[in-house]
Coordinates of all heavy atoms in Angstrom, one line a residue:
V1 N 89.2 126.7 76.7 CA 88.2 125.5 76.3 C 89.1 124.4 75.8 O 88.9 123.3 76.0 CB 87.1 126.1 75.4 CG1 86.4 124.9 74.7 CG2 86.2 127.1 76.0
G2 N 90.0 125.0 74.8 CA 90.9 123.9 74.2 C 91.7 123.1 75.2 O 91.9 121.8 75.0
A3 N 92.1 123.8 76.1 CA 92.9 122.9 77.2 C 92.0 121.9 77.8 O 92.5 120.8 78.0 CB 93.4 123.9 78.4
A4 N 90.8 122.2 78.1 CA 89.8 121.3 78.6 C 89.6 120.1 77.6 O 89.6 119.0 78.0 CB 88.6 121.9 79.1
V5 N 89.5 120.5 76.4 CA 89.1 119.5 75.3 C 90.3 118.5 75.3 O 90.2 117.4 75.2 CB 88.9 120.2 74.1 CG1 88.9 119.1 72.9 CG2 87.5 120.9 74.0
A6 N 91.6 119.1 75.2 CA 92.9 118.3 75.1 C 93.0 117.4 76.3 O 93.4 116.2 76.1 CB 94.0 119.2 75.0
A7 N 92.8 117.8 77.5 CA 92.8 117.0 78.6 C 91.8 115.9 78.6 O 92.1 114.7 78.9 CB 92.5 117.8 79.9
G8 N 90.5 116.2 78.1 CA 89.6 115.1 78.0 C 89.9 114.1 76.9 O 89.9 112.9 77.0
S9 N 90.7 114.6 75.7 CA 91.2 113.8 74.8 C 92.2 112.7 75.3 O 92.3 111.7 75.0 CB 91.8 114.7 73.6 OG 92.3 113.9 72.7
A10 N 93.2 113.4 76.0 CA 94.3 112.6 76.6 C 93.7 111.5 77.6 O 94.1 110.4 77.6 CB 95.3 113.5 77.3
L11 N 92.8 111.9 78.3 CA 92.2 111.0 79.3 C 91.5 109.9 78.7 O 91.5 108.7 79.0 CB 91.3 111.8 80.2 CG 90.5 111.1 81.3 CD1 91.5 110.6 82.4 CD2 89.6 111.9 82.0
L12 N 90.8 110.2 77.6 CA 90.0 109.3 76.7 C 91.0 108.1 76.3 O 90.7 106.8 76.4 CB 89.4 109.9 75.6 CG 88.4 109.2 74.8 CD1 87.1 108.9 75.5 CD2 88.2 109.9 73.4
S13 N 92.1 108.6 75.7 CA 93.0 107.4 75.2 C 93.8 106.8 76.3 O 94.1 105.6 76.1 CB 93.9 108.3 74.1 OG 93.2 108.7 73.1
V14 N 94.4 107.6 77.2 CA 95.3 107.0 78.2 C 94.6 106.0 79.0 O 95.2 104.8 79.2 CB 95.8 108.1 79.1 CG1 96.5 107.5 80.4 CG2 96.8 108.9 78.4
L15 N 93.2 106.1 79.4 CA 92.7 105.1 80.3 C 92.5 103.7 79.4 O 92.4 102.7 79.9 CB 91.4 105.6 80.7 CG 91.5 106.6 81.9 CD1 90.1 107.1 82.4 CD2 92.3 105.9 83.0
V16 N 92.3 103.9 78.1 CA 92.1 102.7 77.2 C 93.5 101.9 77.3 O 93.5 100.6 77.4 CB 91.7 102.9 75.8 CG1 91.8 101.8 75.0 CG2 90.4 103.6 75.8
G17 N 94.6 102.7 77.1 CA 95.9 101.9 77.2 C 96.1 101.3 78.5 O 96.8 100.2 78.7
V18 N 95.7 102.0 79.6 CA 95.9 101.3 81.0 C 95.2 100.1 81.0 O 95.7 99.0 81.5 CB 95.4 102.3 82.0 CG1 95.3 101.6 83.5 CG2 96.4 103.5 82.1
S19 N 93.9 100.0 80.5 CA 93.0 98.8 80.7 C 93.6 97.7 79.8 O 93.5 96.5 80.2 CB 91.6 99.1 80.3 OG 91.5 99.4 78.9
R20 N 94.2 97.9 78.5 CA 94.7 96.9 77.8 C 96.0 96.3 78.4 O 96.2 95.1 78.2 CB 95.0 97.4 76.4 CG 93.9 97.6 75.3 CD 92.6 97.6 76.0 NE 91.4 97.6 74.9 CZ 90.3 98.2 75.3 NH1 90.1 98.7 76.5 NH2 89.3 98.4 74.3
T21 N 96.8 97.1 78.9 CA 98.0 96.5 79.6 C 97.5 95.7 80.9 O 98.1 94.8 81.1 CB 98.9 97.7 80.1 OG1 99.4 98.4 78.9 CG2 100.2 97.1 80.8
A22 N 96.7 96.2 81.6 CA 96.0 95.4 82.8 C 95.5 94.1 82.3 O 95.7 93.1 83.0 CB 95.0 96.3 83.5
L23 N 94.8 94.1 81.2 CA 94.2 92.8 80.5 C 95.4 91.9 80.3 O 95.1 90.7 80.6 CB 93.5 93.3 79.3 CG 93.1 92.1 78.3 CD1 92.0 91.3 79.0 CD2 92.6 92.6 77.0
A24 N 96.5 92.4 79.6 CA 97.6 91.4 79.4 C 98.1 90.8 80.6 O 98.6 89.7 80.6 CB 98.6 92.1 78.5
M25 N 98.4 91.6 81.6 CA 99.0 91.2 82.8 C 98.0 90.2 83.6 O 98.4 89.2 84.2 CB 99.4 92.4 83.7 CG 100.4 93.3 83.2 SD 100.8 94.7 84.2 CE 101.8 93.8 85.5
A26 N 96.7 90.5 83.5 CA 95.8 89.6 84.2 C 95.8 88.3 83.6 O 95.6 87.2 84.2 CB 94.4 90.3 84.2
R27 N 95.9 88.3 82.2 CA 95.9 87.0 81.5 C 97.0 86.1 81.9 O 97.0 84.9 81.8 CB 96.0 87.2 79.9 CG 94.6 87.8 79.3 CD 94.9 88.2 77.9 NE 93.6 88.5 77.2 CZ 93.6 89.0 75.9 NH1 94.6 89.2 75.3 NH2 92.3 89.1 75.5
R28 N 98.1 86.7 82.4 CA 99.2 85.8 82.9 C 99.3 85.8 84.4 O 100.4 85.6 85.0 CB 100.4 86.6 82.3 CG 100.7 86.4 80.7 CD 101.8 87.3 80.1 NE 102.0 87.0 78.7 CZ 101.3 87.5 77.7 NH1 100.3 88.3 78.0 NH2 101.6 87.1 76.5
T29 N 98.3 86.1 85.1 CA 98.1 86.0 86.4 C 99.0 86.9 87.3 O 99.0 86.8 88.5 CB 98.4 84.6 87.0 OG1 99.7 84.3 87.0 CG2 97.6 83.6 86.1
E30 N 99.5 88.0 86.7 CA 100.2 89.0 87.5 C 99.3 90.1 87.9 O 100.0 91.0 88.6 CB 101.3 89.5 86.6 CG 102.5 88.3 86.3 CD 103.6 88.8 85.7 OE1 103.6 89.8 84.8 OE2 104.7 88.2 85.8
L31 N 98.1 90.1 87.5 CA 97.1 91.0 88.2 C 96.0 90.0 88.4 O 95.8 89.1 87.8 CB 96.8 92.1 87.3 CG 97.8 93.3 87.3 CD1 97.2 94.4 86.3 CD2 98.1 93.9 88.6
P32 N 95.0 90.5 89.2 CA 93.8 89.5 89.4 C 93.1 89.2 88.1 O 92.9 89.9 87.2 CB 92.9 90.4 90.3 CG 93.8 91.3 91.1 CD 95.0 91.6 90.1
G33 N 92.7 87.9 88.0 CA 92.2 87.4 86.8 C 90.9 88.0 86.5 O 90.5 88.0 85.3
A34 N 90.2 88.6 87.4 CA 89.0 89.3 87.0 C 89.0 90.4 86.0 O 88.2 90.7 85.3 CB 88.4 89.8 88.3

């Protein structure tokens, strides 16, 4: 159960970090502006 909880915990945080980096790159037009 703990392994599943830990995996969900990592997924929760990692995807936020991905979106914030994509946000910064999109602001500089190196990813789609949308």
Side-chain angles (χ1 to χ4, degrees):
V1 172
V5 170
S9 172
L11 185 61
L12 189 70
S13 293
V14 166
L15 285 179
V16 174
V18 168
S19 69
R20 277 20 177 211
T21 298
L23 168 67
M25 296 182 72
R27 284 173 172 172
R28 292 169 172 83
T29 73
E30 292 184 333
L31 286 178

